[in-house]
Amino acid sequence: MALISPSRRLRRTPFSDGVEAAGVKAYTVYNRMLLPTMFETVQADYRHLKDHVQVWDVACERQVELRGPDAARLMQMLTPRDLRGMLPGQCYYVPIVDETGGMLNDPVAVKLTEDRWWISIADSDLLLWVKGVANGYRLDVLVDEPDISPLAVQGPKADDLMERVFGESVRSIRFFRYGLYQFEGRDLVVARSGYSKQGGFEIYVEGSDIGMPLWNALFEAGENLNVRAGCPNGIERVEAGLLSYGNDMTDDNTPHECGLGRFCDTQTAIGCIGRDALLRVAKEGPVQQVRPIAIDGDAVPGCDRAWPVFAKGKRVGQVTSAAWSPDFKTNVAIGMVRMTHWDAGTRLEVETPDGMRGATVQEAFWL
Ligand code: THG
């Protein structure tokens, strides 16, 4: 494949120097920023993630900050998830939808105080939507993208590594909660979250200047834990059923189609944009939904376009992510499947670039 030309539009991150020194082999572009996708091989990275601990440059998970008296009101306008019970110290996975109920993003919301929130975005220009809503409704709130870059520490030894840098109390942070921890005299939000099912943390690094010092501190502290630079892993995240915005869903999909209905409280999320549209889809139910799918045969090629899915020659959906899983010894995939064929055990055919493959709808990979 051809190289990508670096330029100012394709933003580097506070950790890019460390990522390059660690020998990054491939990047993707995410929120107009570099996101590493491979260090050794995707399979070697996968094995290491599941056995040890990795430090991930996920600065591309940009923060949209809401600040001001109307911040909480704006946050609730943006998502159908009911935020009334959410306290400072909590993070929520929140679908964001447009006026038709179409998915615009699937970020993590971080509540700092009643009038200060971060929206840790997936790959779409959410800042523009949020600014538009804030201005259109004349809300008393500042919306911007501060100099905050998440650094993830993921893998079974994440607690051990984090304890060495931030102290043993990081171990008591609960899932999707955060605490404030000092590094070089600066208070940083440290949450137990991240884009893997191996466990771990995300450090919201405030101020680019401490990016490399923190990166280096983690690698020095983790030397005898076999710490390595890593990145969201294309195999592990499919096994884990973690969705990728722009790949597994777009603004053509409702949260219910994405299996995110459990994060929608459309009845009680008063004031949320898209509420009327979602009340309709919640009542009728989706006619297609995201499913884990196992694809027969040896390793499939990379999935860089939707692969049509058929049953008895009739189109019933598409596969949008797929990879060979060394642990499950099958190809794991995520696809959108019509209601008539979405039950676990249903046999399908997937049109891959290598030809037709048999496939089976799964209950889940991670059980
Ligand atoms: N962390 C942070 N920001 C992010 C991501 C992240 N922004 C971009 C992208 N990832 C947003 N998408 C997701 C998708 C899944 C999850 C988080 C962000 C996730 N899901 C868990 C699951 O589905 O099992 C838990 C959801 C829950 O129970 O609340 O973690 O990774 N900062």
Side-chain angles (χ1 to χ4, degrees):
M1 195 168 156
L3 301 174
I4 296 181
S5 301
S7 79
R8 187 160 180 252
R9 281 188 300 99
L10 211 180
R11 299 178 286 178
R12 293 172 62 81
T13 86
F15 319 110
S16 290
D17 291 344
V19 161
E20 284 161 11
V24 65
K25 288 223 179 85
Y27 279 119
T28 187
V29 179
Y30 195 101
N31 288 322
R32 293 169 282 116
M33 209 174 226
L34 290 168
L35 170 61
T37 56
M38 180 167 75
F39 283 85
E40 200 174 333
T41 63
V42 174
Q43 288 207 13
D45 293 353
Y46 162 91
R47 188 73 274 141
H48 182 269
L49 169 63
K50 286 186 150 191
D51 292 343
H52 301 286
V53 56
Q54 297 183 344
V55 177
W56 295 2
D57 174 0
V58 283
C60 65
E61 297 168 353
R62 302 312 296 161
Q63 307 306 300
V64 174
E65 180 169 280
L66 316 182
R67 206 152 30 99
D70 285 334
R73 181 174 162 217
L74 174 56
M75 191 66 232
Q76 186 65 84
M77 290 175 76
L78 295 171
T79 180
R81 185 161 177 185
D82 190 335
L83 303 176
R84 284 176 302 176
M86 187 177 182
L87 301 168
Q90 289 189 299
C91 311
Y92 273 16
Y93 183 37
V94 291
I96 307 272
V97 299
D98 66 16
E99 73 288 357
T100 71
M103 289 290 294
L104 291 179
N105 206 289
D106 68 327
V108 176
V110 181
K111 181 170 182 176
L112 299 161
T113 63
E114 200 55 36
D115 50 17
R116 188 164 173 235
W117 300 66
W118 289 336
I119 310 174
S120 185
I121 63 172
D123 187 22
S124 78
D125 290 328
L126 199 70
L127 180 66
L128 305 179
W129 171 259
V130 179
K131 277 182 174 285
V133 171
N135 281 282
Y137 284 89
R138 306 212 184 304
L139 300 183
D140 188 359
V141 62
L142 287 165
V143 179
D144 64 4
E145 185 188 297
D147 178 20
I148 294 168
S149 294
L151 187 64
V153 177
Q154 300 284 299
K157 301 181 194 166
D159 281 71
D160 299 332
L161 175 54
M162 289 293 284
E163 171 174 15
R164 296 180 187 184
V165 176
F166 293 103
E168 71 167 311
S169 66
V170 290
R171 290 185 180 277
S172 59
I173 301 172
R174 289 192 284 151
F175 186 62
F176 267 59
R177 303 288 176 116
Y178 71 82
L180 292 176
Y181 289 83
Q182 288 242 322
F183 181 77
E184 293 197 346
R186 217 129 0 127
D187 269 332
L188 301 180
V189 168
V190 176
R192 190 180 291 279
S193 56
Y195 200 64
S196 88
K197 272 233 184 346
Q198 304 312 307
F201 300 85
E202 291 179 304
I203 308 158
Y204 291 79
V205 180
E206 212 165 340
S208 294
D209 57 314
I210 58 167
M212 280 315 298
L214 177 58
W215 176 278
N216 290 329
L218 285 163
F219 280 88
E220 276 157 36
E223 223 178 290
N224 65 352
L225 293 173
N226 192 15
V227 64
R228 286 198 210 162
C231 51
N233 184 274
I235 310 168
E236 197 273 347
R237 77 105 182 150
V238 173
E239 287 180 355
L242 296 172
L243 302 178
S244 167
Y245 187 79
N247 286 320
D248 306 316
M249 58 183 149
T250 70
D251 59 0
D252 282 337
N253 302 117
T254 64
H256 303 270
E257 289 177 343
C258 303
L260 302 179
R262 66 185 188 282
F263 301 114
C264 296
D265 313 284
T266 313
Q267 288 292 346
T268 56
I270 314 278
C272 130
I273 295 165
R275 183 164 178 260
D276 295 347
L278 288 184
L279 282 170
R280 275 193 299 278
V281 303
K283 190 159 153 236
E284 288 160 24
V287 299
Q288 58 175 1
Q289 201 169 52
V290 158
R291 282 289 180 273
I293 296 167
I295 303 176
D296 301 347
D298 54 14
V300 290
C303 187
D304 62 356
R305 64 197 67 200
W307 295 345
V309 172
F310 302 91
K312 295 199 178 115
K314 252 186 53 190
R315 177 87 190 248
V316 297
Q318 59 183 14
V319 159
T320 48
S321 298
W324 174 261
S325 163
D327 285 357
F328 293 95
K329 297 185 171 47
T330 183
N331 293 293
V332 294
I334 294 175
M336 191 67 77
V337 183
R338 309 261 180 284
M339 181 166 55
T340 50
H341 292 80
W342 72 25
D343 288 340
T346 306
R347 286 290 293 169
L348 305 168
E349 292 113 54
V350 180
E351 189 182 339
T352 75
D354 295 2
M356 283 292 191
R357 298 278 189 109
T360 309
V361 177
Q362 305 293 300
E363 201 69 60
F365 292 120
W366 54 93
L367 294 178

